PDB file of all heavy atoms in Angstrom:
ATOM      1  N   ALA A   1      -9.654  12.592   5.975  1.00 97.00           N
ATOM      2  CA  ALA A   1      -9.800  13.665   5.012  1.00 97.00           C
ATOM      3  C   ALA A   1     -11.051  13.488   4.170  1.00 97.00           C
ATOM      4  O   ALA A   1     -11.760  14.493   3.878  1.00 97.00           O
ATOM      5  CB  ALA A   1      -8.544  13.679   4.082  1.00 97.00           C
ATOM      6  N   LEU A   2     -11.385  12.267   3.812  1.00 97.00           N
ATOM      7  CA  LEU A   2     -12.594  11.980   3.075  1.00 97.00           C
ATOM      8  C   LEU A   2     -13.855  12.271   3.899  1.00 97.00           C
ATOM      9  O   LEU A   2     -14.845  12.810   3.467  1.00 97.00           O
ATOM     10  CB  LEU A   2     -12.665  10.547   2.550  1.00 97.00           C
ATOM     11  CG  LEU A   2     -11.659  10.251   1.404  1.00 97.00           C
ATOM     12  CD1 LEU A   2     -11.629   8.806   1.098  1.00 97.00           C
ATOM     13  CD2 LEU A   2     -12.035  11.055   0.156  1.00 97.00           C
ATOM     14  N   SER A   3     -13.769  11.934   5.199  1.00 96.00           N
ATOM     15  CA  SER A   3     -14.885  12.206   6.096  1.00 96.00           C
ATOM     16  C   SER A   3     -15.132  13.692   6.257  1.00 96.00           C
ATOM     17  O   SER A   3     -16.268  14.144   6.314  1.00 96.00           O
ATOM     18  CB  SER A   3     -14.512  11.579   7.493  1.00 96.00           C
ATOM     19  OG  SER A   3     -15.534  11.815   8.389  1.00 96.00           O
ATOM     20  N   GLU A   4     -14.050  14.494   6.219  1.00 96.00           N
ATOM     21  CA  GLU A   4     -14.190  15.909   6.369  1.00 96.00           C
ATOM     22  C   GLU A   4     -14.915  16.567   5.135  1.00 96.00           C
ATOM     23  O   GLU A   4     -15.547  17.623   5.259  1.00 96.00           O
ATOM     24  CB  GLU A   4     -12.848  16.603   6.511  1.00 96.00           C
ATOM     25  CG  GLU A   4     -12.245  16.361   7.896  1.00 96.00           C
ATOM     26  CD  GLU A   4     -10.826  16.926   8.037  1.00 96.00           C
ATOM     27  OE1 GLU A   4     -10.388  17.657   7.163  1.00 96.00           O
ATOM     28  OE2 GLU A   4     -10.181  16.597   9.078  1.00 96.00           O
ATOM     29  N   VAL A   5     -14.855  15.909   3.949  1.00 96.00           N
ATOM     30  CA  VAL A   5     -15.540  16.418   2.775  1.00 96.00           C
ATOM     31  C   VAL A   5     -16.945  15.771   2.667  1.00 96.00           C
ATOM     32  O   VAL A   5     -17.619  16.009   1.664  1.00 96.00           O
ATOM     33  CB  VAL A   5     -14.765  16.251   1.462  1.00 96.00           C
ATOM     34  CG1 VAL A   5     -13.880  17.398   1.179  1.00 96.00           C
ATOM     35  CG2 VAL A   5     -14.066  14.908   1.367  1.00 96.00           C
ATOM     36  N   GLY A   6     -17.326  15.025   3.651  1.00 94.00           N
ATOM     37  CA  GLY A   6     -18.702  14.509   3.676  1.00 94.00           C
ATOM     38  C   GLY A   6     -18.871  13.153   3.139  1.00 94.00           C
ATOM     39  O   GLY A   6     -20.047  12.683   2.907  1.00 94.00           O
ATOM     40  N   ILE A   7     -17.825  12.377   2.898  1.00 94.00           N
ATOM     41  CA  ILE A   7     -17.965  11.032   2.405  1.00 94.00           C
ATOM     42  C   ILE A   7     -18.096  10.087   3.566  1.00 94.00           C
ATOM     43  O   ILE A   7     -17.244  10.035   4.463  1.00 94.00           O
ATOM     44  CB  ILE A   7     -16.709  10.645   1.496  1.00 94.00           C
ATOM     45  CG1 ILE A   7     -16.741  11.561   0.267  1.00 94.00           C
ATOM     46  CG2 ILE A   7     -16.757   9.204   1.144  1.00 94.00           C
ATOM     47  CD1 ILE A   7     -15.534  11.519  -0.525  1.00 94.00           C
ATOM     48  N   THR A   8     -19.213   9.381   3.570  1.00 89.00           N
ATOM     49  CA  THR A   8     -19.504   8.549   4.759  1.00 89.00           C
ATOM     50  C   THR A   8     -19.213   7.071   4.598  1.00 89.00           C
ATOM     51  O   THR A   8     -19.223   6.313   5.566  1.00 89.00           O
ATOM     52  CB  THR A   8     -21.057   8.680   5.037  1.00 89.00           C
ATOM     53  OG1 THR A   8     -21.760   8.272   3.917  1.00 89.00           O
ATOM     54  CG2 THR A   8     -21.401  10.101   5.432  1.00 89.00           C
ATOM     55  N   GLY A   9     -18.878   6.616   3.399  1.00 92.00           N
ATOM     56  CA  GLY A   9     -18.627   5.202   3.233  1.00 92.00           C
ATOM     57  C   GLY A   9     -17.471   4.951   2.275  1.00 92.00           C
ATOM     58  O   GLY A   9     -17.355   5.729   1.308  1.00 92.00           O
ATOM     59  N   LEU A  10     -16.693   3.952   2.468  1.00 95.00           N
ATOM     60  CA  LEU A  10     -15.663   3.605   1.575  1.00 95.00           C
ATOM     61  C   LEU A  10     -15.325   2.156   1.711  1.00 95.00           C
ATOM     62  O   LEU A  10     -15.678   1.517   2.711  1.00 95.00           O
ATOM     63  CB  LEU A  10     -14.409   4.481   1.731  1.00 95.00           C
ATOM     64  CG  LEU A  10     -13.771   4.598   3.085  1.00 95.00           C
ATOM     65  CD1 LEU A  10     -12.715   3.548   3.305  1.00 95.00           C
ATOM     66  CD2 LEU A  10     -13.140   5.947   3.222  1.00 95.00           C
ATOM     67  N   THR A  11     -14.580   1.570   0.752  1.00 97.00           N
ATOM     68  CA  THR A  11     -14.161   0.193   0.790  1.00 97.00           C
ATOM     69  C   THR A  11     -12.652   0.197   0.768  1.00 97.00           C
ATOM     70  O   THR A  11     -12.012   0.930   0.019  1.00 97.00           O
ATOM     71  CB  THR A  11     -14.709  -0.583  -0.425  1.00 97.00           C
ATOM     72  OG1 THR A  11     -16.115  -0.538  -0.431  1.00 97.00           O
ATOM     73  CG2 THR A  11     -14.236  -2.045  -0.389  1.00 97.00           C
ATOM     74  N   VAL A  12     -12.036  -0.582   1.627  1.00 98.00           N
ATOM     75  CA  VAL A  12     -10.596  -0.688   1.737  1.00 98.00           C
ATOM     76  C   VAL A  12     -10.153  -2.119   1.513  1.00 98.00           C
ATOM     77  O   VAL A  12     -10.719  -3.077   2.037  1.00 98.00           O
ATOM     78  CB  VAL A  12     -10.085  -0.251   3.143  1.00 98.00           C
ATOM     79  CG1 VAL A  12      -8.641  -0.422   3.277  1.00 98.00           C
ATOM     80  CG2 VAL A  12     -10.535   1.222   3.358  1.00 98.00           C
ATOM     81  N   THR A  13      -9.135  -2.316   0.640  1.00 98.00           N
ATOM     82  CA  THR A  13      -8.592  -3.598   0.337  1.00 98.00           C
ATOM     83  C   THR A  13      -7.063  -3.537   0.477  1.00 98.00           C
ATOM     84  O   THR A  13      -6.430  -2.613   0.031  1.00 98.00           O
ATOM     85  CB  THR A  13      -8.922  -4.004  -1.153  1.00 98.00           C
ATOM     86  OG1 THR A  13     -10.306  -3.807  -1.377  1.00 98.00           O
ATOM     87  CG2 THR A  13      -8.561  -5.443  -1.386  1.00 98.00           C
ATOM     88  N   GLU A  14      -6.515  -4.617   1.088  1.00 97.00           N
ATOM     89  CA  GLU A  14      -5.042  -4.741   1.145  1.00 97.00           C
ATOM     90  C   GLU A  14      -4.579  -5.351  -0.155  1.00 97.00           C
ATOM     91  O   GLU A  14      -5.067  -6.411  -0.559  1.00 97.00           O
ATOM     92  CB  GLU A  14      -4.612  -5.593   2.317  1.00 97.00           C
ATOM     93  CG  GLU A  14      -4.876  -4.997   3.678  1.00 97.00           C
ATOM     94  CD  GLU A  14      -4.379  -5.858   4.820  1.00 97.00           C
ATOM     95  OE1 GLU A  14      -3.634  -6.844   4.558  1.00 97.00           O
ATOM     96  OE2 GLU A  14      -4.801  -5.560   5.956  1.00 97.00           O
ATOM     97  N   VAL A  15      -3.710  -4.644  -0.862  1.00 96.00           N
ATOM     98  CA  VAL A  15      -3.258  -5.129  -2.159  1.00 96.00           C
ATOM     99  C   VAL A  15      -1.717  -5.104  -2.181  1.00 96.00           C
ATOM    100  O   VAL A  15      -1.053  -4.564  -1.291  1.00 96.00           O
ATOM    101  CB  VAL A  15      -3.810  -4.254  -3.349  1.00 96.00           C
ATOM    102  CG1 VAL A  15      -5.315  -4.401  -3.438  1.00 96.00           C
ATOM    103  CG2 VAL A  15      -3.412  -2.812  -3.186  1.00 96.00           C
ATOM    104  N   LYS A  16      -1.141  -5.699  -3.260  1.00 90.00           N
ATOM    105  CA  LYS A  16       0.346  -5.664  -3.475  1.00 90.00           C
ATOM    106  C   LYS A  16       0.575  -5.227  -4.870  1.00 90.00           C
ATOM    107  O   LYS A  16      -0.205  -5.559  -5.767  1.00 90.00           O
ATOM    108  CB  LYS A  16       0.969  -7.013  -3.223  1.00 90.00           C
ATOM    109  CG  LYS A  16       0.924  -7.437  -1.788  1.00 90.00           C
ATOM    110  CD  LYS A  16       1.678  -8.714  -1.595  1.00 90.00           C
ATOM    111  CE  LYS A  16       1.588  -9.088  -0.079  1.00 90.00           C
ATOM    112  NZ  LYS A  16       2.668  -9.984   0.248  1.00 90.00           N
ATOM    113  N   GLY A  17       1.646  -4.500  -5.096  1.00 85.00           N
ATOM    114  CA  GLY A  17       1.967  -4.112  -6.465  1.00 85.00           C
ATOM    115  C   GLY A  17       3.254  -3.289  -6.514  1.00 85.00           C
ATOM    116  O   GLY A  17       3.945  -3.099  -5.488  1.00 85.00           O
ATOM    117  N   PHE A  18       3.564  -2.838  -7.688  1.00 80.00           N
ATOM    118  CA  PHE A  18       4.747  -1.958  -7.860  1.00 80.00           C
ATOM    119  C   PHE A  18       4.588  -1.103  -9.067  1.00 80.00           C
ATOM    120  O   PHE A  18       3.805  -1.395  -9.990  1.00 80.00           O
ATOM    121  CB  PHE A  18       6.024  -2.784  -7.924  1.00 80.00           C
ATOM    122  CG  PHE A  18       6.176  -3.573  -9.218  1.00 80.00           C
ATOM    123  CD1 PHE A  18       6.824  -2.992 -10.302  1.00 80.00           C
ATOM    124  CD2 PHE A  18       5.695  -4.866  -9.314  1.00 80.00           C
ATOM    125  CE1 PHE A  18       6.978  -3.711 -11.480  1.00 80.00           C
ATOM    126  CE2 PHE A  18       5.840  -5.569 -10.500  1.00 80.00           C
ATOM    127  CZ  PHE A  18       6.460  -4.995 -11.585  1.00 80.00           C
ATOM    128  N   GLY A  19       5.257  -0.042  -9.067  1.00 80.00           N
ATOM    129  CA  GLY A  19       5.278   0.854 -10.192  1.00 80.00           C
ATOM    130  C   GLY A  19       6.709   1.274 -10.436  1.00 80.00           C
ATOM    131  O   GLY A  19       7.598   0.427 -10.510  1.00 80.00           O
ATOM    132  N   ARG A  20       6.954   2.541 -10.458  1.00 75.00           N
ATOM    133  CA  ARG A  20       8.346   3.056 -10.614  1.00 75.00           C
ATOM    134  C   ARG A  20       9.243   2.670  -9.364  1.00 75.00           C
ATOM    135  O   ARG A  20      10.442   2.612  -9.467  1.00 75.00           O
ATOM    136  CB  ARG A  20       8.346   4.552 -10.734  1.00 75.00           C
ATOM    137  CG  ARG A  20       7.804   4.977 -12.059  1.00 75.00           C
ATOM    138  CD  ARG A  20       7.928   6.428 -12.269  1.00 75.00           C
ATOM    139  NE  ARG A  20       7.354   6.818 -13.545  1.00 75.00           N
ATOM    140  CZ  ARG A  20       6.944   7.993 -13.852  1.00 75.00           C
ATOM    141  NH1 ARG A  20       7.028   8.956 -12.943  1.00 75.00           N
ATOM    142  NH2 ARG A  20       6.457   8.275 -15.028  1.00 75.00           N
ATOM    143  N   GLN A  21       8.596   2.353  -8.242  1.00 67.00           N
ATOM    144  CA  GLN A  21       9.282   2.039  -7.028  1.00 67.00           C
ATOM    145  C   GLN A  21      10.090   0.729  -7.246  1.00 67.00           C
ATOM    146  O   GLN A  21      11.125   0.496  -6.639  1.00 67.00           O
ATOM    147  CB  GLN A  21       8.284   1.895  -5.922  1.00 67.00           C
ATOM    148  CG  GLN A  21       8.875   2.029  -4.546  1.00 67.00           C
ATOM    149  CD  GLN A  21       7.799   2.116  -3.495  1.00 67.00           C
ATOM    150  OE1 GLN A  21       6.595   1.957  -3.752  1.00 67.00           O
ATOM    151  NE2 GLN A  21       8.203   2.347  -2.275  1.00 67.00           N
ATOM    152  N   LYS A  22       9.537  -0.205  -8.001  1.00 67.00           N
ATOM    153  CA  LYS A  22      10.181  -1.446  -8.428  1.00 67.00           C
ATOM    154  C   LYS A  22      10.568  -2.404  -7.343  1.00 67.00           C
ATOM    155  O   LYS A  22      11.365  -3.304  -7.508  1.00 67.00           O
ATOM    156  CB  LYS A  22      11.473  -1.137  -9.237  1.00 67.00           C
ATOM    157  CG  LYS A  22      11.246  -0.344 -10.477  1.00 67.00           C
ATOM    158  CD  LYS A  22      11.037  -1.299 -11.668  1.00 67.00           C
ATOM    159  CE  LYS A  22      11.215  -0.670 -12.997  1.00 67.00           C
ATOM    160  NZ  LYS A  22      10.308   0.432 -13.308  1.00 67.00           N
ATOM    161  N   GLY A  23      10.009  -2.295  -6.143  1.00 62.00           N
ATOM    162  CA  GLY A  23      10.325  -3.194  -5.081  1.00 62.00           C
ATOM    163  C   GLY A  23      11.692  -2.894  -4.492  1.00 62.00           C
ATOM    164  O   GLY A  23      12.265  -1.848  -4.725  1.00 62.00           O
ATOM    165  N   HIS A  24      12.195  -3.796  -3.683  1.00 64.00           N
ATOM    166  CA  HIS A  24      13.501  -3.605  -3.076  1.00 64.00           C
ATOM    167  C   HIS A  24      14.065  -4.971  -2.634  1.00 64.00           C
ATOM    168  O   HIS A  24      13.411  -6.014  -2.669  1.00 64.00           O
ATOM    169  CB  HIS A  24      13.365  -2.686  -1.858  1.00 64.00           C
ATOM    170  CG  HIS A  24      12.434  -3.241  -0.787  1.00 64.00           C
ATOM    171  ND1 HIS A  24      11.073  -3.126  -0.904  1.00 64.00           N
ATOM    172  CD2 HIS A  24      12.710  -3.894   0.363  1.00 64.00           C
ATOM    173  CE1 HIS A  24      10.533  -3.689   0.177  1.00 64.00           C
ATOM    174  NE2 HIS A  24      11.505  -4.159   0.957  1.00 64.00           N
ATOM    175  N   THR A  25      15.339  -4.980  -2.212  1.00 68.00           N
ATOM    176  CA  THR A  25      15.950  -6.221  -1.712  1.00 68.00           C
ATOM    177  C   THR A  25      16.002  -6.177  -0.201  1.00 68.00           C
ATOM    178  O   THR A  25      16.132  -5.088   0.408  1.00 68.00           O
ATOM    179  CB  THR A  25      17.407  -6.403  -2.254  1.00 68.00           C
ATOM    180  OG1 THR A  25      18.114  -5.260  -1.916  1.00 68.00           O
ATOM    181  CG2 THR A  25      17.379  -6.590  -3.704  1.00 68.00           C
ATOM    182  N   GLU A  26      15.850  -7.339   0.408  1.00 67.00           N
ATOM    183  CA  GLU A  26      15.858  -7.467   1.851  1.00 67.00           C
ATOM    184  C   GLU A  26      16.869  -8.578   2.256  1.00 67.00           C
ATOM    185  O   GLU A  26      17.109  -9.468   1.453  1.00 67.00           O
ATOM    186  CB  GLU A  26      14.488  -7.744   2.455  1.00 67.00           C
ATOM    187  CG  GLU A  26      13.567  -6.550   2.371  1.00 67.00           C
ATOM    188  CD  GLU A  26      12.243  -6.783   3.081  1.00 67.00           C
ATOM    189  OE1 GLU A  26      12.089  -7.909   3.727  1.00 67.00           O
ATOM    190  OE2 GLU A  26      11.417  -5.935   3.063  1.00 67.00           O
ATOM    191  N   LEU A  27      17.341  -8.501   3.424  1.00 71.00           N
ATOM    192  CA  LEU A  27      18.267  -9.509   3.978  1.00 71.00           C
ATOM    193  C   LEU A  27      17.481 -10.310   5.031  1.00 71.00           C
ATOM    194  O   LEU A  27      16.931  -9.750   5.949  1.00 71.00           O
ATOM    195  CB  LEU A  27      19.464  -8.800   4.560  1.00 71.00           C
ATOM    196  CG  LEU A  27      20.669  -9.705   4.835  1.00 71.00           C
ATOM    197  CD1 LEU A  27      21.182 -10.291   3.515  1.00 71.00           C
ATOM    198  CD2 LEU A  27      21.771  -8.854   5.455  1.00 71.00           C
ATOM    199  N   TYR A  28      17.399 -11.635   4.859  1.00 72.00           N
ATOM    200  CA  TYR A  28      16.733 -12.460   5.832  1.00 72.00           C
ATOM    201  C   TYR A  28      17.608 -13.677   6.148  1.00 72.00           C
ATOM    202  O   TYR A  28      17.912 -14.449   5.259  1.00 72.00           O
ATOM    203  CB  TYR A  28      15.338 -12.907   5.274  1.00 72.00           C
ATOM    204  CG  TYR A  28      14.607 -13.777   6.166  1.00 72.00           C
ATOM    205  CD1 TYR A  28      14.026 -13.323   7.345  1.00 72.00           C
ATOM    206  CD2 TYR A  28      14.422 -15.175   5.933  1.00 72.00           C
ATOM    207  CE1 TYR A  28      13.319 -14.132   8.184  1.00 72.00           C
ATOM    208  CE2 TYR A  28      13.694 -16.022   6.775  1.00 72.00           C
ATOM    209  CZ  TYR A  28      13.144 -15.443   7.914  1.00 72.00           C
ATOM    210  OH  TYR A  28      12.465 -16.241   8.767  1.00 72.00           O
ATOM    211  N   ARG A  29      17.994 -13.774   7.358  1.00 76.00           N
ATOM    212  CA  ARG A  29      18.862 -14.846   7.829  1.00 76.00           C
ATOM    213  C   ARG A  29      20.115 -15.028   6.947  1.00 76.00           C
ATOM    214  O   ARG A  29      20.485 -16.132   6.566  1.00 76.00           O
ATOM    215  CB  ARG A  29      18.099 -16.169   7.929  1.00 76.00           C
ATOM    216  CG  ARG A  29      17.064 -16.128   8.982  1.00 76.00           C
ATOM    217  CD  ARG A  29      16.458 -17.475   9.244  1.00 76.00           C
ATOM    218  NE  ARG A  29      15.512 -17.408  10.355  1.00 76.00           N
ATOM    219  CZ  ARG A  29      14.862 -18.391  10.788  1.00 76.00           C
ATOM    220  NH1 ARG A  29      15.056 -19.626  10.326  1.00 76.00           N
ATOM    221  NH2 ARG A  29      14.045 -18.266  11.816  1.00 76.00           N
TER     222      ARG A  29
END
């Protein structure tokens, strides 16, 4: 979508966080 509006460069970073979503519980072993 950014490429379609003519933006040719960007920076991408893998991050972790939470907001209203507040995370979740998981079951492991």
Side-chain angles (χ1 to χ4, degrees):
L2 289 173
S3 181
E4 287 174 11
V5 272
I7 294 170
T8 58
L10 53 90
T11 302
V12 175
T13 311
E14 291 181 15
V15 295
K16 291 185 179 199
F18 71 91
R20 291 184 180 158
Q21 202 172 4
K22 299 270 196 297
H24 61 280
T25 56
E26 288 188 3
L27 196 61
Y28 179 70
R29 293 190 177 182

